[in-house]
């Protein structure tokens, strides 16, 4: 028999919801929250989601389980006054430079202040500590904008398993900071940026490098080339007025040319190179039976995580560069004859790519292989600053000689994509039915941990696919304790893969799934499905890469810095 509770005198069925908040949202009422995310533990700190029962008692909707027969109200005079008081208190201790804040227009505090009609703050503006931490190349922290919601702390600890930041102090002295209030760059932060993704204000934001890039684009002596990561084409869409997950690659290419980029390329070229090299490395290790499992190396936050937390496992991490760095090295060599200074730019869904580009391992002859990394968010900022109406831009193709892309390279942007592309390469059966079989062999889906087994040369290969560093940490502990056995492990730091990168516009779980579906659709529409069939890539082995494969496509990680 169904159970019901009353929400503003409307009967709403209870069907497994863990809290009143979920039931209220079923009724079509959006209670305000700062600290609630369904993927994180319930914290109940902001008190914005309070509801009132028929006896006048108030309850936090996010932390109170629903009960049959319960009667609650969400919009009483008492609750409206209460929420306004909370907002005023938050604003009284909050930096109010909203017009110049990086989060302006997307700030939850700003949004709710407008929603509740707050035009003045009765408590006056309290003296706030203005301490901006710019030490990281990935993110920027500003404690004066922090509302102590705890979203970043729980994301870093519960989902990512890093614990780089936490609460310190008590009462009015409470702050969120790394241990001993050190700069974030000196902590065990891996640069994944997921803290910035969930921060409702401008307290933690993606590092902005757009002004440096504008100067390069205005320099007549510079030839500025750009590569676009697979996940960007589906991550930019909703923010720019298209459907969530729609493939906007053609429009992005055209917009970048209008911004002043001389040549525009697709990082799927680098992804195809990665597939060929990583598949060969896996086959070699399987044949030798050594240094297994082989961990993927495409995700710089994951590599950083292993270096800092499990350095003894670094020999198991693939020596392959990431697709961005492979393609960056190839582009610098391919275009080296230019009379102008080559500036290589990458548009990425990821904040950790900024760190990766700065690593000494990817600096050759005093020059970076990738000079600048901007995120999808930064690209959106540049497009809007230039006054480009994205919806009106006619799609264009990328430049030759790397204008050929494969479905295998495109799916790198979603969890399981690297594995599927490698299996396509190693699988003996190259038929269409084989492709479909691989797709439904457990490699697809947004789950945090997936397992599959495939045969390579008649030998079963056990594979794990992990997204979210917390899941990766749990898997590593099982491997160390002998509780599981794999030969190949794909790891992406961000839950769901690069489509969920911190450099992408923020979206919910359903939005991330739509982005992944968008990449799979692009794969289906691709005429070339396997990396080894990309003639533009295979030709590189006889030209730029001849005798230099290890130098340009592989890496030996040494000293870590951020």
């Amino acid at each position: 028999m169904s159970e019901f509770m009353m929400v503003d005198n409307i009967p709403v069925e209870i069907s497994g919801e863990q809290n009143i908040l979920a039931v209220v949202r079923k009724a079509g009422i959006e209670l305000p929250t700062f600290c609630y995310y369904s993927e994180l533990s319930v914290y109940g700190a902001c008190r914005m989601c309070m509801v009132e029962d028929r006896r006048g008692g108030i309850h936090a909707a996010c932390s109170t389980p629903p009960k049959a027969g319960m009667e609650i109200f969400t919009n009483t005079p008492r609750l409206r006054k209460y929420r306004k008081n909370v907002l005023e208190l938050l604003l009284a201790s909050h930096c109010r430079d909203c017009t110049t804040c990086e989060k302006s227009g997307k700030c939850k505090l700003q949004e709710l202040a407008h929603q509740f009609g707050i035009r003045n703050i009765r408590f006056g503006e309290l003296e706030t500590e203005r301490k901006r931490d710019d030490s990281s190349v990935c993110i920027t922290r500003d404690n004066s904008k922090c509302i102590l919601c705890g979203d970043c702390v729980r994301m870093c600890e519960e989902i990512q398993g890093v614990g780089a930041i936490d609460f310190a102090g008590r009462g009015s002295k409470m702050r969120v900071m790394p241990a001993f209030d050190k700069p974030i760059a000196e902590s065990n932060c891996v640069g994944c940026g997921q803290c910035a993704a969930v921060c409702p204000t401008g307290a933690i934001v993606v590092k902005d490098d757009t002004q440096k890039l504008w100067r390069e684009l205005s320099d007549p002596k510079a030839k500025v080339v750009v590569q676009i990561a697979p996940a960007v084409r589906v991550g930019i869409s909703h923010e720019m007025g298209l459907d969530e997950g729609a493939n906007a690659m053609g429009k992005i290419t055209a917009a970048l040319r209008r911004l002043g980029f001389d040549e525009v390329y697709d990082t799927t070229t680098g992804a195809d190179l990665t597939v060929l090299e990583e598949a060969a490395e896996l086959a070699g290790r399987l044949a030798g039976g050594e240094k297994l499992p082989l961990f993927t190396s495409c995700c710089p936050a994951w590599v950083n995580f292993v270096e800092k937390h499990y350095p003894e496992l670094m020999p198991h991490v693939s020596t392959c560069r990431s697709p961005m760095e492979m393609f960056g090295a190839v582009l610098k060599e391919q275009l080296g004859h230019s009379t102008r200074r080559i500036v290589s730019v990458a548009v990425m869904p990821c904040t950790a790519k900024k760190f990766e580009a700065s690593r000494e391992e990817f600096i050759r002859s005093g020059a970076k292989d990738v000079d600048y990394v901007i995120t999808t968010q930064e690209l959106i900022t540049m497009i809007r600053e230039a006054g480009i109406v994205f919806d009106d831009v006619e799609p264009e193709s990328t430049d030759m000689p790397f204008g050929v892309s494969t479905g295998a390279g495109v799916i790198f942007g979603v969890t399981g994509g690297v594995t599927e592309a490698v299996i396509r390469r190693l699988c003996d059966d190259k038929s269409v039915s084989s492709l479909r079989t691989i797709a439904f062999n457990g490699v697809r889906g947004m789950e945090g941990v997936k397992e599959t087994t495939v045969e390579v040369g008649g030998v079963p290969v056990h594979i794990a696919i992990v997204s979210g560093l917390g899941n990766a940490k749990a898997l590593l502990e099982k491997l160390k304790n002998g509780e599981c056995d794999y030969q190949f492990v794909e790891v992406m730091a961000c839950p769901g893969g690069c489509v969920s990168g911190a450099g992408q516009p923020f979206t919910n779980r359903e939005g991330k799934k739509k982005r992944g579906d968008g990449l799979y659709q692009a794969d289906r529409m691709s005429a070339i499905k396997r990396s080894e069939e990309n003639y533009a890539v295979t030709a590189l082995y006889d030209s730029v890469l001849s005798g230099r494969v290890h130098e340009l496509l592989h890496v030996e990680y040494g000293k870590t810095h951020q």
Side-chain angles (χ1 to χ4, degrees), residues 99-142:
T99 55
T100 55
C101 176
E102 295 92 332
K103 211 67 178 280
S104 182
K106 299 176 185 176
C107 172
K108 198 66 176 290
L109 183 59
Q110 188 183 54
E111 175 190 325
L112 291 179
H114 178 74
Q115 179 181 332
F116 285 91
I118 295 176
R119 300 293 177 262
N120 57 21
I121 312 300
R122 291 173 294 161
F123 309 111
E125 187 168 3
L126 303 180
E127 191 68 31
T128 56
E129 176 191 14
R130 190 67 189 265
K131 187 175 182 182
R132 190 177 176 93
D133 183 356
D134 281 313
S135 61
S136 170
V137 297
C138 306
I139 58 173
T140 297
R141 298 175 57 248
D142 188 343

Side-chain angles (χ1 to χ4, degrees), residues 401-443:
F402 306 116
V404 181
S405 63
T406 70
V410 168
I411 60 176
F412 258 55
V414 63
T415 176
V418 177
T419 297
E420 184 171 345
V422 169
I423 294 173
R424 290 182 188 183
R425 167 62 177 144
L426 292 176
C427 184
D428 295 325
D429 186 355
K430 303 294 184 180
S431 65
V432 174
S433 61
S434 172
L435 280 174
R436 292 171 179 162
T437 301
I438 294 169
F440 293 99
N441 197 31
V443 295

